[in-house]
Every structure is written in C-alpha cells, then in structure tokens.
C-alpha cells in the first residue's frame, strides 16, 4: 500500500494537481503506514472506497466527493 500511495500521489504532485485525493479499498483498518505515506506525499483527502465505483466517483463526483480533473496511478 505504501508504494501504491507514493506512485499515485507523487504523480499527481508532479502534474501540479490543485487538490490531491486518494482512495483505499474497504478491507478493514487502513494501515497507519499507508495513511502516513499518503499524507507525506501530499494527499489532502482520503476516502475508503474501492473497485470500479472509485473510478466513477472520482470522474463524476458524488454528494460528498467533488469530481477530479485527472486520474493517475494504480487503481
């Protein structure tokens, strides 16, 4: 999870994303190391969401998640 966080978030940072958010699948407790890696890499928002619905939520937005301009990294 730590490597995936860095691959996704650092890519968004290099692309100069204005608002960087990350999603992690709902597989129990999120490891502290993954949360730390996401925050240190520049994540502003973290959502517990996985699967194809994550891609749709990011692309289209939801009532609680604003849509994004670009999707990067592993899903």
């Amino acid at each position: 999870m730590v490597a995936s966080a860095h691959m996704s978030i650092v890519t968004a940072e290099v692309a100069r994303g204005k608002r960087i958010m990350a999603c992690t699948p709902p597989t129990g407790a999120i490891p502290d190391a993954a949360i730390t890696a996401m925050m240190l890499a520049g994540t502003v928002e973290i959502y517990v969401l996985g699967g194809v619905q994550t891609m749709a939520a990011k692309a289209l937005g939801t009532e609680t998640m604003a849509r994004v301009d670009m999707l990067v990294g592993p899903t």
Side-chain angles (χ1 to χ4, degrees):
M1 292 289 271
V2 173
S4 292
H6 276 280
M7 285 186 284
S8 301
I9 297 158
V10 171
T11 301
E13 284 281 338
V14 170
R16 298 185 192 268
K18 293 181 182 123
R19 185 182 118 252
I20 298 176
M21 54 91 69
C23 292
T24 185
T27 57
I30 305 170
D32 291 339
I35 294 171
T36 301
M38 290 178 199
M39 297 306 291
L40 289 174
T43 299
V44 176
E45 304 167 50
I46 301 173
Y47 295 93
V48 178
L49 186 65
V52 70
Q53 58 270 29
T54 301
M55 303 305 286
K58 289 178 183 179
L60 304 173
T62 68
E63 291 179 6
T64 58
M65 181 190 302
R67 67 178 288 288
V68 297
D69 295 324
M70 181 185 301
L71 298 170
V72 298
T75 56

Coordinates of all heavy atoms in Angstrom, one line a residue:
M1 N 0.8 -1.2 0.0 CA 0.0 0.0 0.0 C 0.9 1.3 0.0 O 0.5 2.2 -0.6 CB -0.9 0.0 1.2 CG -2.0 -1.0 1.2 SD -3.3 -0.7 0.0 CE -4.4 0.3 0.9
V2 N 2.0 1.2 0.7 CA 2.8 2.4 0.8 C 3.4 2.8 -0.6 O 3.3 4.0 -1.0 CB 4.0 2.2 1.8 CG1 4.9 3.4 1.8 CG2 3.4 2.0 3.2
A3 N 3.8 1.8 -1.4 CA 4.4 2.1 -2.7 C 3.3 2.6 -3.6 O 3.5 3.5 -4.4 CB 5.0 0.8 -3.3
S4 N 2.1 2.0 -3.6 CA 1.0 2.5 -4.4 C 0.6 3.9 -4.1 O 0.3 4.7 -5.0 CB -0.2 1.6 -4.2 OG 0.0 0.3 -4.7
A5 N 0.6 4.2 -2.8 CA 0.3 5.6 -2.4 C 1.3 6.6 -3.0 O 0.9 7.6 -3.6 CB 0.3 5.7 -0.9
H6 N 2.6 6.2 -2.9 CA 3.6 7.1 -3.5 C 3.5 7.2 -5.0 O 3.6 8.3 -5.6 CB 5.0 6.7 -3.0 CG 5.3 7.3 -1.7 ND1 5.7 8.6 -1.5 CD2 5.2 6.8 -0.5 CE1 5.9 8.8 -0.2 NE2 5.6 7.7 0.4
M7 N 3.3 6.1 -5.7 CA 3.2 6.1 -7.1 C 2.0 7.0 -7.6 O 2.2 7.7 -8.6 CB 3.0 4.7 -7.7 CG 4.2 3.8 -7.6 SD 4.0 2.2 -8.5 CE 3.1 1.4 -7.2
S8 N 0.9 6.9 -6.9 CA -0.2 7.7 -7.3 C -0.1 9.2 -7.0 O -0.3 10.1 -7.8 CB -1.5 7.2 -6.7 OG -1.7 5.8 -7.0
I9 N 0.2 9.4 -5.7 CA 0.2 10.8 -5.2 C 1.4 11.6 -5.7 O 1.2 12.8 -6.1 CB 0.2 10.8 -3.7 CG1 -1.1 10.1 -3.3 CG2 0.3 12.1 -3.1 CD1 -1.1 9.5 -1.9
V10 N 2.5 11.0 -5.8 CA 3.7 11.8 -6.4 C 3.4 12.1 -7.8 O 3.7 13.2 -8.3 CB 5.0 11.0 -6.2 CG1 6.1 11.7 -6.9 CG2 5.3 10.9 -4.7
T11 N 2.8 11.2 -8.6 CA 2.5 11.5 -10.0 C 1.5 12.7 -10.0 O 1.7 13.6 -10.9 CB 1.8 10.3 -10.6 OG1 2.7 9.2 -10.6 CG2 1.4 10.6 -12.1
A12 N 0.5 12.8 -9.2 CA -0.4 13.9 -9.1 C 0.3 15.2 -8.7 O 0.0 16.3 -9.3 CB -1.5 13.6 -8.2
E13 N 1.3 15.1 -7.8 CA 2.1 16.3 -7.4 C 2.9 16.8 -8.6 O 2.9 18.0 -8.8 CB 3.0 15.9 -6.2 CG 2.3 15.8 -4.9 CD 2.0 17.1 -4.2 OE1 2.7 18.1 -4.6 OE2 1.1 17.1 -3.4
V14 N 3.5 15.9 -9.3 CA 4.4 16.3 -10.4 C 3.5 17.0 -11.5 O 3.9 17.9 -12.2 CB 5.1 15.1 -11.0 CG1 5.8 15.4 -12.3 CG2 6.2 14.6 -10.0
A15 N 2.3 16.5 -11.7 CA 1.3 17.0 -12.6 C 0.7 18.3 -12.1 O -0.1 18.9 -12.8 CB 0.2 16.0 -13.0
R16 N 1.1 18.8 -11.0 CA 0.7 20.0 -10.3 C -0.8 20.0 -10.1 O -1.5 21.0 -10.3 CB 1.1 21.2 -11.2 CG 2.6 21.4 -11.3 CD 3.0 22.6 -12.0 NE 4.3 22.6 -12.4 CZ 5.3 23.1 -11.7 NH1 5.1 23.7 -10.5 NH2 6.6 23.1 -12.1
G17 N -1.3 18.9 -9.5 CA -2.7 18.8 -9.1 C -3.0 19.8 -8.1 O -2.2 20.0 -7.1
K18 N -4.1 20.5 -8.2 CA -4.5 21.5 -7.2 C -5.1 20.9 -5.9 O -4.9 21.4 -4.8 CB -5.6 22.5 -7.8 CG -5.0 23.3 -8.9 CD -6.1 24.2 -9.5 CE -5.5 25.1 -10.6 NZ -6.2 24.9 -11.8
R19 N -5.8 19.8 -6.1 CA -6.5 19.1 -5.0 C -6.1 17.6 -5.2 O -6.6 17.0 -6.1 CB -8.0 19.3 -5.0 CG -8.7 18.7 -3.8 CD -10.2 18.9 -3.9 NE -10.8 17.6 -4.0 CZ -11.4 17.1 -5.1 NH1 -11.4 17.7 -6.2 NH2 -12.0 15.9 -5.0
I20 N -5.4 17.1 -4.3 CA -4.9 15.7 -4.4 C -5.7 14.8 -3.4 O -5.6 15.1 -2.2 CB -3.4 15.6 -4.3 CG1 -2.8 16.4 -5.4 CG2 -3.0 14.1 -4.3 CD1 -1.3 16.4 -5.3
M21 N -6.4 13.8 -3.9 CA -7.1 12.9 -3.0 C -6.7 11.5 -3.4 O -6.2 11.2 -4.4 CB -8.6 13.1 -3.2 CG -9.2 13.1 -4.6 SD -9.7 11.5 -5.1 CE -11.1 11.3 -4.1
A22 N -6.9 10.6 -2.4 CA -6.6 9.2 -2.6 C -7.8 8.3 -2.1 O -8.5 8.8 -1.2 CB -5.3 8.9 -1.8
C23 N -7.9 7.1 -2.6 CA -8.9 6.2 -2.1 C -8.1 4.9 -1.8 O -7.1 4.5 -2.4 CB -9.9 5.9 -3.2 SG -10.9 7.2 -3.6
T24 N -8.6 4.2 -0.8 CA -8.1 2.9 -0.4 C -9.3 2.0 -0.2 O -10.3 2.4 0.3 CB -7.3 3.1 1.0 OG1 -6.7 1.9 1.3 CG2 -8.1 3.6 2.1
P25 N -9.1 0.7 -0.6 CA -10.2 -0.2 -0.5 C -10.7 -0.5 0.9 O -9.9 -0.5 1.9 CB -9.7 -1.5 -1.2 CG -8.2 -1.4 -1.2 CD -7.9 0.1 -1.1
P26 N -12.0 -0.8 1.1 CA -12.5 -1.0 2.4 C -12.2 -2.5 2.9 O -13.1 -3.3 2.9 CB -14.0 -0.8 2.3 CG -14.3 -1.1 0.8 CD -13.0 -0.7 0.1
T27 N -11.0 -2.8 3.3 CA -10.6 -4.1 3.6 C -10.2 -4.2 5.1 O -9.3 -4.8 5.5 CB -9.4 -4.6 2.8 OG1 -8.3 -3.6 3.0 CG2 -9.7 -4.7 1.3
G28 N -11.0 -3.5 5.9 CA -10.7 -3.4 7.4 C -10.0 -2.1 7.7 O -10.1 -1.1 7.0
A29 N -9.2 -2.1 8.7 CA -8.5 -0.9 9.1 C -7.4 -0.5 8.1 O -6.7 -1.4 7.5 CB -7.8 -1.1 10.5
I30 N -7.3 0.8 7.8 CA -6.3 1.2 6.9 C -5.0 1.2 7.7 O -4.9 1.8 8.8 CB -6.6 2.7 6.4 CG1 -7.9 2.7 5.7 CG2 -5.5 3.1 5.4 CD1 -8.4 4.1 5.4
P31 N -3.9 0.6 7.1 CA -2.6 0.6 7.9 C -2.1 2.0 8.1 O -2.2 2.9 7.2 CB -1.7 -0.2 6.9 CG -2.6 -0.9 6.0 CD -3.9 -0.1 5.9
D32 N -1.6 2.2 9.3 CA -1.0 3.6 9.6 C 0.0 4.0 8.7 O 0.2 5.1 8.3 CB -0.5 3.5 11.1 CG -1.5 3.4 12.1 OD1 -2.7 3.8 11.8 OD2 -1.2 3.0 13.2
A33 N 0.8 3.0 8.2 CA 1.9 3.3 7.2 C 1.3 3.9 5.9 O 1.9 4.8 5.3 CB 2.8 2.1 7.0
A34 N 0.2 3.3 5.5 CA -0.4 3.8 4.2 C -0.9 5.2 4.4 O -0.7 6.1 3.5 CB -1.5 2.9 3.8
I35 N -1.6 5.5 5.5 CA -2.1 6.8 5.8 C -0.9 7.8 5.9 O -1.0 8.9 5.3 CB -2.9 6.9 7.1 CG1 -4.2 6.0 6.9 CG2 -3.3 8.3 7.5 CD1 -5.0 5.8 8.2
T36 N 0.1 7.5 6.6 CA 1.3 8.3 6.7 C 1.9 8.6 5.3 O 2.2 9.7 5.0 CB 2.3 7.7 7.7 OG1 1.7 7.5 8.9 CG2 3.5 8.6 7.8
A37 N 2.0 7.5 4.5 CA 2.6 7.7 3.2 C 1.8 8.6 2.3 O 2.3 9.5 1.6 CB 2.8 6.4 2.5
M38 N 0.5 8.5 2.4 CA -0.4 9.3 1.6 C -0.3 10.8 2.1 O -0.2 11.7 1.2 CB -1.9 8.9 1.8 CG -2.2 7.6 1.1 SD -3.9 7.2 1.5 CE -3.9 5.4 1.1
M39 N -0.3 11.0 3.4 CA -0.2 12.4 3.9 C 1.1 13.0 3.6 O 1.2 14.2 3.2 CB -0.5 12.4 5.4 CG -1.9 11.9 5.8 SD -3.3 12.8 4.9 CE -3.1 14.4 5.6
L40 N 2.2 12.3 3.8 CA 3.5 12.8 3.5 C 3.7 13.2 2.0 O 4.5 14.1 1.7 CB 4.6 11.9 4.0 CG 4.8 11.8 5.5 CD1 5.8 10.7 5.9 CD2 5.2 13.1 6.1
A41 N 3.1 12.4 1.2 CA 3.2 12.6 -0.3 C 2.4 13.8 -0.8 O 2.5 14.2 -1.9 CB 2.8 11.3 -1.0
G42 N 1.4 14.3 0.0 CA 0.7 15.4 -0.3 C -0.8 15.3 -0.5 O -1.5 16.2 -0.9
T43 N -1.4 14.2 0.0 CA -2.8 13.9 -0.1 C -3.5 14.9 0.8 O -3.1 15.1 2.0 CB -3.2 12.5 0.3 OG1 -2.5 11.6 -0.6 CG2 -4.6 12.2 0.2
V44 N -4.6 15.5 0.3 CA -5.5 16.3 1.1 C -6.7 15.6 1.6 O -7.2 15.8 2.7 CB -5.9 17.6 0.3 CG1 -6.8 18.5 1.0 CG2 -4.6 18.3 -0.2
E45 N -7.2 14.7 0.8 CA -8.4 13.9 1.2 C -8.1 12.4 1.0 O -7.5 12.0 0.0 CB -9.6 14.3 0.2 CG -9.9 15.8 0.2 CD -10.8 16.1 -0.9 OE1 -11.8 15.4 -1.1 OE2 -10.5 17.0 -1.7
I46 N -8.6 11.6 1.9 CA -8.5 10.1 1.8 C -9.9 9.6 2.0 O -10.6 9.9 2.9 CB -7.6 9.5 2.9 CG1 -6.2 10.1 2.7 CG2 -7.6 8.0 2.8 CD1 -5.3 9.7 3.9
Y47 N -10.3 8.8 1.0 CA -11.7 8.1 1.0 C -11.5 6.6 1.1 O -10.5 6.1 0.5 CB -12.5 8.4 -0.2 CG -12.8 9.9 -0.3 CD1 -12.0 10.8 -1.0 CD2 -14.0 10.4 0.3 CE1 -12.4 12.1 -1.1 CE2 -14.3 11.7 0.2 CZ -13.5 12.6 -0.5 OH -13.8 13.9 -0.6
V48 N -12.3 5.9 1.8 CA -12.4 4.5 1.9 C -13.4 4.0 0.9 O -14.6 4.0 1.1 CB -12.7 4.0 3.3 CG1 -12.8 2.5 3.3 CG2 -11.7 4.5 4.3
L49 N -12.8 3.6 -0.3 CA -13.7 3.2 -1.4 C -12.8 2.4 -2.4 O -11.6 2.8 -2.6 CB -14.2 4.5 -2.1 CG -15.2 4.4 -3.2 CD1 -16.5 3.8 -2.7 CD2 -15.5 5.7 -3.9
G50 N -13.3 1.4 -3.0 CA -12.5 0.6 -3.9 C -13.3 0.1 -5.1 O -14.5 0.3 -5.1
G51 N -12.6 -0.5 -6.0 CA -13.3 -1.0 -7.2 C -13.6 0.0 -8.2 O -13.2 1.1 -8.2
V52 N -14.4 -0.4 -9.2 CA -14.8 0.5 -10.3 C -15.6 1.7 -9.9 O -15.5 2.7 -10.5 CB -15.5 -0.3 -11.4 CG1 -16.9 -0.7 -11.0 CG2 -15.6 0.5 -12.7
Q53 N -16.3 1.5 -8.8 CA -17.1 2.6 -8.2 C -16.2 3.8 -7.8 O -16.6 5.0 -7.8 CB -18.0 2.2 -7.1 CG -17.4 1.6 -5.9 CD -17.3 0.1 -6.0 OE1 -17.2 -0.5 -7.1 NE2 -17.3 -0.6 -4.9
T54 N -14.9 3.5 -7.5 CA -14.0 4.5 -7.1 C -13.7 5.4 -8.3 O -13.7 6.6 -8.3 CB -12.6 3.9 -6.6 OG1 -12.9 3.1 -5.5 CG2 -11.6 5.0 -6.3
M55 N -13.5 4.8 -9.5 CA -13.2 5.5 -10.7 C -14.4 6.4 -11.1 O -14.2 7.5 -11.5 CB -12.8 4.5 -11.8 CG -11.6 3.6 -11.5 SD -10.2 4.5 -11.1 CE -9.7 5.2 -12.6
A56 N -15.6 5.8 -11.0 CA -16.8 6.6 -11.3 C -16.9 7.8 -10.4 O -17.2 8.9 -10.8 CB -18.0 5.7 -11.3
A57 N -16.7 7.5 -9.1 CA -16.9 8.6 -8.1 C -15.9 9.7 -8.4 O -16.2 10.9 -8.3 CB -16.7 8.1 -6.7
K58 N -14.7 9.4 -8.7 CA -13.7 10.4 -8.9 C -14.0 11.2 -10.2 O -13.8 12.4 -10.3 CB -12.3 9.8 -9.0 CG -11.7 9.2 -7.8 CD -10.3 8.6 -8.0 CE -9.7 8.0 -6.8 NZ -8.4 7.4 -7.1
A59 N -14.4 10.4 -11.2 CA -14.6 11.1 -12.5 C -15.9 11.9 -12.6 O -15.9 13.0 -13.2 CB -14.7 10.0 -13.6
L60 N -16.9 11.4 -11.9 CA -18.2 12.1 -12.0 C -18.5 12.9 -10.7 O -19.4 13.8 -10.8 CB -19.3 11.1 -12.2 CG -19.2 10.2 -13.4 CD1 -20.2 9.1 -13.4 CD2 -19.2 11.0 -14.7
G61 N -17.9 12.6 -9.6 CA -18.2 13.3 -8.3 C -19.5 12.6 -7.7 O -20.2 11.9 -8.3
T62 N -19.6 12.8 -6.4 CA -20.8 12.3 -5.7 C -21.3 13.5 -4.8 O -20.7 14.6 -4.8 CB -20.4 11.1 -4.8 OG1 -19.5 11.6 -3.7 CG2 -19.7 10.0 -5.6
E63 N -22.2 13.2 -3.9 CA -22.7 14.2 -3.0 C -21.6 14.6 -2.0 O -21.6 15.7 -1.5 CB -23.9 13.7 -2.2 CG -25.1 13.5 -3.1 CD -26.3 13.0 -2.3 OE1 -26.2 12.8 -1.0 OE2 -27.4 12.7 -2.9
T64 N -20.7 13.7 -1.7 CA -19.7 14.0 -0.7 C -18.2 14.1 -1.3 O -17.3 14.4 -0.5 CB -19.7 12.9 0.4 OG1 -19.4 11.7 -0.2 CG2 -21.0 12.9 1.2
M65 N -18.1 13.8 -2.6 CA -16.8 13.8 -3.2 C -16.8 14.7 -4.5 O -17.6 14.3 -5.4 CB -16.3 12.4 -3.5 CG -14.9 12.3 -4.2 SD -14.5 10.6 -4.8 CE -14.7 9.6 -3.4
A66 N -16.1 15.7 -4.5 CA -16.0 16.6 -5.8 C -15.3 15.8 -6.8 O -14.3 15.1 -6.6 CB -15.3 17.9 -5.5
R67 N -15.7 16.0 -8.1 CA -15.0 15.3 -9.2 C -13.6 15.8 -9.3 O -13.3 16.9 -8.9 CB -15.8 15.5 -10.5 CG -15.8 16.9 -11.0 CD -16.5 17.1 -12.3 NE -15.9 16.6 -13.5 CZ -14.8 17.1 -14.1 NH1 -14.3 18.2 -13.6 NH2 -14.3 16.6 -15.1
V68 N -12.8 15.0 -10.0 CA -11.4 15.4 -10.2 C -11.2 15.7 -11.7 O -12.0 15.3 -12.5 CB -10.4 14.2 -9.7 CG1 -10.6 14.0 -8.2 CG2 -10.6 13.0 -10.5
D69 N -10.1 16.4 -11.9 CA -9.8 16.7 -13.3 C -8.9 15.6 -14.0 O -8.9 15.5 -15.2 CB -9.0 18.0 -13.4 CG -9.9 19.2 -12.9 OD1 -11.1 19.2 -13.2 OD2 -9.3 20.1 -12.3
M70 N -8.2 14.9 -13.2 CA -7.3 13.9 -13.8 C -7.2 12.7 -12.8 O -7.1 12.8 -11.6 CB -5.9 14.5 -13.9 CG -4.8 13.6 -14.5 SD -3.2 14.3 -14.6 CE -3.4 15.7 -15.6
L71 N -7.2 11.5 -13.4 CA -7.0 10.2 -12.6 C -5.6 9.7 -12.9 O -5.2 9.6 -14.1 CB -8.0 9.2 -13.0 CG -9.5 9.5 -12.8 CD1 -10.4 8.5 -13.5 CD2 -9.8 9.6 -11.3
V72 N -4.8 9.4 -11.8 CA -3.5 8.9 -12.0 C -3.2 7.7 -11.1 O -4.0 7.5 -10.1 CB -2.4 9.9 -11.8 CG1 -2.5 11.1 -12.7 CG2 -2.4 10.4 -10.3
G73 N -2.3 6.9 -11.5 CA -1.8 5.8 -10.6 C -2.6 4.5 -10.6 O -3.5 4.4 -11.4
P74 N -2.1 3.6 -9.8 CA -2.8 2.3 -9.8 C -4.2 2.4 -9.2 O -4.4 3.3 -8.3 CB -1.9 1.4 -8.9 CG -1.0 2.3 -8.2 CD -1.0 3.6 -8.9
T75 N -5.1 1.6 -9.6 CA -6.5 1.6 -9.0 C -6.8 0.3 -8.4 O -6.3 -0.7 -8.7 CB -7.5 1.9 -10.1 OG1 -7.4 0.9 -11.2 CG2 -7.3 3.3 -10.7

